[in-house]
């Protein structure tokens, strides 16, 4: 087990913030690809405008096709990630999370297997990744009746 001193803790927090920023950037990029696609642009044109590869645009369009909910702003995961990246005051983050309506996971429809996560699963995942403290998680859970 690694013993964290202040320098290691700062490195660890920086790494977690970079990972969160990458996820937020991906969500923004998915929305940009969708926006360009909805304007009738082909994959090559989208790639040129967004300064990326046509192959990446293709993968992103497939991801959007499989999970169109990724485009909806205001998901708990995105709220938590943006708060973590931007150092939003925790009180503000908690108030926003407590004001949301949450869904549970559901079984994937045939022929797929597994579970489609609900929005509450995003909060649980953020807690597991140390993006929320135990006290914050319990405060949100109590406020939304989970």
């Amino acid at each position: 087990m690694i013993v964290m001193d202040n320098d290691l803790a700062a490195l660890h927090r920086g790494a977690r913030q970079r990972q969160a920023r990458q996820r937020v950037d991906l969500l923004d990029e998915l929305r940009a690809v969708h926006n360009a696609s909805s304007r009738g642009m082909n994959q090559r044109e989208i790639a040129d405008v967004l300064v990326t590869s046509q192959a990446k645009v293709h993968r992103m369009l497939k991801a959007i096709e499989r999970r169109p909910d990724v485009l909806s702003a205001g998901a708990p995961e995105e709220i938590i990630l943006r708060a973590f990246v931007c150092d939003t005051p925790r009180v503000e983050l908690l108030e926003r999370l407590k004001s949301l309506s949450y869904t549970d996971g559901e079984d994937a429809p045939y022929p797929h297997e597994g579970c489609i996560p609900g929005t509450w699963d995003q909060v649980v995942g953020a807690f597991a990744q140390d993006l929320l403290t135990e006290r914050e998680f319990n405060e949100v859970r109590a406020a939304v009746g989970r």
Side-chain angles (χ1 to χ4, degrees), residues 16-91:
R16 287 184 23 229
Q17 278 189 310
R18 282 189 303 280
Q19 289 175 344
R21 192 175 319 112
Q22 288 172 346
R23 178 70 178 144
V24 167
D25 287 346
L26 175 62
L27 292 170
D28 290 341
E29 195 170 19
L30 284 165
R31 289 187 186 113
V33 165
H34 178 72
N35 183 342
S37 176
S38 67
R39 292 170 178 247
M41 297 173 73
N42 66 39
Q43 292 179 12
R44 170 60 41 213
E45 292 168 334
I46 295 170
D48 289 345
V49 168
L50 298 181
V51 192
T52 191
S53 69
Q54 179 274 325
K56 184 174 181 182
V57 169
H58 175 77
R59 288 191 303 272
M60 294 176 93
L61 288 170
K62 286 294 182 189
I64 293 166
E65 185 180 305
R66 284 190 302 274
R67 295 280 311 273
D69 60 305
V70 75
L71 298 173
S72 60
E77 175 191 27
E78 185 173 357
I79 291 168
I80 294 165
L81 289 171
R82 287 189 188 278
F84 189 70
V85 168
C86 301
D87 287 325
T88 301
R90 302 306 280 186
V91 172

Side-chain angles (χ1 to χ4, degrees), residues 4-5 7 9 34 45 70-71 85 89 93 119 127 130-132 142:
M4 292 278 215
D5 62 20
D7 290 338
H34 178 72
E45 292 168 334
V70 75
L71 298 173
V85 168
L93 168 63
T119 55
F127 171 60
D130 292 328
L131 298 174
L132 293 173

Side-chain angles (χ1 to χ4, degrees), residues 2-11:
I2 299 172
V3 177
M4 292 278 215
D5 62 20
N6 287 341
D7 290 338
L8 282 179
L11 285 173

